[in-house]
Amino acid sequence: MKILVFAGSTRQQSFNRRLAQQAAGMARAAGAEVTLLELADLDIPMYNADLEARGTPPDVLRLKRLMWEHPGWIICSPEYNGSYTALLKNTIDWASSPVAADSEWQDGVKPFRGKVVGLLSASNGRLGGLRSQSHLAPLLLLLECWLAPRAYALAGAASAFDADGALTQAEQRTGVQGVIDQVLWATQRLHTEPR
């Protein structure tokens, strides 16, 4: 099972990047082949249809392929102003935009269709970024993803990680593991190979 894990943040000390690293390790321990994607490693500008008309950036095509090759995803979504980040929206907008000149990517939904997605979030607030998940879920459903019924929001994130970046509380690890287990279970049943 190939699982793609990424966070909607590029901040150096991002709680959600730390959570993504933990989720990736836990998914590997559960037997998955995991790719931990750092969005900062992709050179993707703000979406602009005029810019796109001059040619889709190479890293957008790389992103589309990465998404398509992994039938299961874990997304760690920060919460800004009660919703998901502009970075995450921009990433999804580029990945879902059809490439008219490329027969492989003329279908904008192709990188998303049928993917099993688990949602995690982390925030220092009491809701743990839960509102970002509630806004992100309808967008992913629109793009024909399957969402794991279980999600997990990590509250009090400033004190949730130890010096090595590991989650300190068994309850927190159990919450993350529950999402991973559902993604792996559903991915195994819905996909025999990447679409």
Side-chain angles (χ1 to χ4, degrees), residues 4 6 37-39 42-44 56-70 73 87-96 105 111-112:
L4 182 67
F6 61 96
L37 172 64
E38 291 284 0
L39 294 182
L42 299 174
D43 184 13
I44 297 178
T56 300
D59 274 2
V60 170
L61 297 176
R62 178 181 163 209
L63 173 67
K64 285 175 179 282
R65 180 156 297 283
L66 268 173
M67 290 177 152
W68 181 78
E69 289 175 344
H70 292 78
W73 305 348
L87 172 67
L88 191 50
K89 181 65 163 63
N90 190 61
T91 300
I92 291 170
D93 287 346
W94 271 113
S96 62
W105 302 115
F112 296 85

Side-chain angles (χ1 to χ4, degrees), residues 129-147:
L130 189 63
R131 292 175 296 185
S132 71
Q133 296 179 17
S134 70
H135 287 194
L136 183 57
L139 175 58
L140 294 170
L141 290 171
L142 180 70
L143 292 169
E144 302 183 26
C145 295
W146 294 91
L147 294 188

